[in-house]
Amino acid sequence: MASSASSSKPSTPALPEEALPVNRHAPTPLEQQRLQLAKLLKDPTKDVHIPKPPKEKTLRAPRE
């Protein structure tokens, strides 16, 4: 009977329960980084978009 109960259980995430955030709407910085890294490494064959750095800002010449 225990085996039938475990087979009907929904699939569990790859992270252990203590590593999952308690409140998904207010994750700690550690939890945010852990989730981003897990998402990044989920499919290593997929291309990753790395944004270009911002353009250098130029200041206009001072008034005389």
Side-chain angles (χ1 to χ4, degrees), residues 17-32:
E17 285 188 27
E18 62 271 2
L20 294 175
V22 176
N23 183 356
R24 288 184 42 208
H25 298 288
T28 64
L30 177 64
E31 292 166 343
Q32 286 178 345

Side-chain angles (χ1 to χ4, degrees), residues 21-55:
V22 176
N23 183 356
R24 288 184 42 208
H25 298 288
T28 64
L30 177 64
E31 292 166 343
Q32 286 178 345
Q33 187 177 22
R34 182 179 290 136
L35 292 173
Q36 288 174 349
L37 186 60
K39 183 179 177 182
L40 181 67
L41 297 177
K42 185 177 180 180
D43 186 10
T45 60
K46 186 176 177 182
D47 290 339
V48 178
H49 172 69
I50 301 175
K52 294 181 180 179
K55 294 181 180 178

Side-chain angles (χ1 to χ4, degrees), residues 48-64:
V48 178
H49 172 69
I50 301 175
K52 294 181 180 179
K55 294 181 180 178
E56 286 286 329
K57 293 186 177 181
T58 57
L59 300 175
R60 63 178 177 88
R63 294 183 182 174
E64 289 186 18

Side-chain angles (χ1 to χ4, degrees), residues 2-13 17:
S3 63
S4 65
S6 64
S7 64
S8 64
K9 185 177 176 183
S11 63
T12 57
E17 285 188 27

